[in-house]
């Protein structure tokens, strides 16, 4: 699989506290990386996760699928690449792939489904969809 | 869905630091809960995750699927229930459901696939499979 | 040093994800343990950290001093013991000691100073001080 | 207090998952930032924390003092500045100050004391001290 250099990406370096006693990044931390990359992606489109929350609109993850292909270790550099798709009326799907830098080795593939809720109830996020160019 | 009271379970209480700025448990922390429950389950069958690591055998997660049904909040009590299945020769699949206590509300459903590796290469974990009663 | 069995305490077990690549609990996680124990202590006195936040009152840590005496490892059980003192008009000081179970080995000694703020400004937490029996 | 621009520094941006239900970075996460900055500092001097561990030498934190001056929020950028001193024969003291970017507001001041251990026993880290220019 080749990296599409056009896709939005966020770069990271592994911090030692993110590694567990197996000496590799703990599985849960990949969800942290993926979340941070999504929020940066949204921000690049003018969508601020926290501002939305303060307006009563929450972007909520309803499902994650993550395939762990190869472990990251201390000080490894990597990039999380993101695509976004609509699924039905209400759901957004983030396709997120994580590659080690500089050898482009595929580390993790993820598919993260989300919805927008207003005061706890799902809403169709028209404005968000349009800001994401999916409208 | 009803809880099968016979299944192995581990009880937790939400700690405030596990909640994020949306006021609910951050998605990644469910992977922490699920991992801790798996390790407790293995331990109950005489399998010590760390001892195995020190012998060069690592239990590795290769895939997670998590459905987030309902959020947990500060001080919520909950239980992670576990079943285990074989998949092919080398893979173990953990079926993990997380229920709030005491109302048994379904919070998260997860399917976590793992393999055993020895010095980085997959091995058929015969002894582990037999200790888990799957042999 | 002997444990004062009368002091309020919260029991924990080390979860594997809390250990880092040195094979011991990562230093930052002790702050998590200490925080959870403080919130449980406050709750035992009728003070709910989250409810206070939702009323605009935040309990804020202004200083921590932590002495790390001995490391915790996978599956170690331990207790965090708590005493509380006033310091001046506005500050509360939590004296927190962490002991391994069952051998009472001293693991960590901490002194955590906090203040109450209302909408970001320090306030004298009269009601809290009285609920803590320090009034 | 002015920032000494000559001091070694590591830049970060707050990630949303590092914030807790008070909407600010959770106190424990500052220890993560401080640790990562120390390891980067050591690395800049040719000292690799993980390689040392694999040789049986562990750099261990024995005491932290942290003053929390002002909270960080979602997406805040900041820098951790580091100085290092010897204390007695065996101890190293890291003076670490965290400033928000770009306004240089002081967020956290920390003093972190560490020792080197070999197979669990303190050693005088002659080579490390010389690589740090403290010999």
């Amino acid at each position: 699989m080749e990296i599409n250099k056009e896709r939005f990406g966020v770069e990271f370096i592994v911090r030692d506290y993110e590694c567990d006693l197996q000496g590799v990044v703990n599985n849960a931390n990949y969800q942290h990386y993926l979340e941070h990359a999504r929020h940066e992606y949204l921000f690049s489109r003018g969508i601020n996760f926290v501002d939305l929350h303060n307006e009563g609109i929450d972007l909520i993850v309803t499902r994650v699928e993550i395939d762990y292909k190869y472990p990251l270790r201390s000080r490894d550099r990597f990039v999380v690449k993101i695509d976004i798709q609509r699924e039905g009326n209400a759901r957004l799907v983030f396709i997120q792939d994580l590659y080690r830098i500089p050898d482009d080795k595929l580390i993790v593939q993820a598919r993260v489904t989300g919805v927008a809720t207003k005061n706890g109830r799902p809403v169709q996020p028209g404005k968000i969809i349009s800001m994401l160019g999916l409208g």
Side-chain angles (χ1 to χ4, degrees), chain A:
Chain A
M1 172 181 288
E2 270 183 51
I3 298 185
N4 179 346
K5 304 285 185 187
E6 303 300 310
R7 292 166 72 193
F8 182 88
V10 180
E11 290 192 20
F12 299 76
I13 185 171
V14 171
R15 303 175 185 170
D16 288 341
Y17 68 80
E18 296 166 340
C19 299
D20 63 20
L21 43 77
Q22 290 185 323
V24 296
V25 169
N26 184 270
N27 293 310
N29 285 324
Y30 292 93
Q31 270 197 262
H32 282 151
Y33 300 150
L34 296 169
E35 177 192 294
H36 180 59
R38 287 195 305 276
H39 292 199
E40 290 288 316
Y41 175 72
L42 294 172
F43 189 78
S44 77
R45 299 299 188 100
I47 300 165
N48 185 309
F49 181 83
V50 177
D51 290 350
L52 281 179
H53 171 70
N54 292 335
E55 295 163 17
I57 295 174
D58 280 302
L59 301 178
I60 301 282
V61 170
T62 56
R63 178 173 169 82
V64 299
E65 296 168 50
I66 305 175
D67 286 293
Y68 296 96
K69 300 294 191 183
Y70 197 83
L72 289 175
R73 293 178 177 277
S74 174
R75 302 195 58 78
D76 279 347
R77 291 174 57 230
F78 60 97
V79 62
V80 179
K81 289 286 189 179
I82 300 188
D83 279 323
I84 191 165
Q85 304 168 354
R86 283 184 74 173
E87 188 179 84
N89 276 331
R91 285 190 293 278
L92 296 173
V93 179
F94 295 86
I95 308 296
Q96 302 192 262
D97 301 309
L98 194 155
Y99 299 92
R100 195 168 57 188
I101 296 171
D103 67 355
D104 291 354
K105 186 169 182 69
L106 179 62
I107 301 296
V108 153
Q109 286 187 297
R111 192 175 189 280
V112 179
T113 308
V115 296
T117 61
K118 183 154 192 172
N119 306 319
R121 274 179 300 224
V123 292
Q124 195 182 331
K127 190 176 152 205
I128 292 171
I129 283 169
S130 123
M131 290 171 88
L132 294 171
L134 300 170

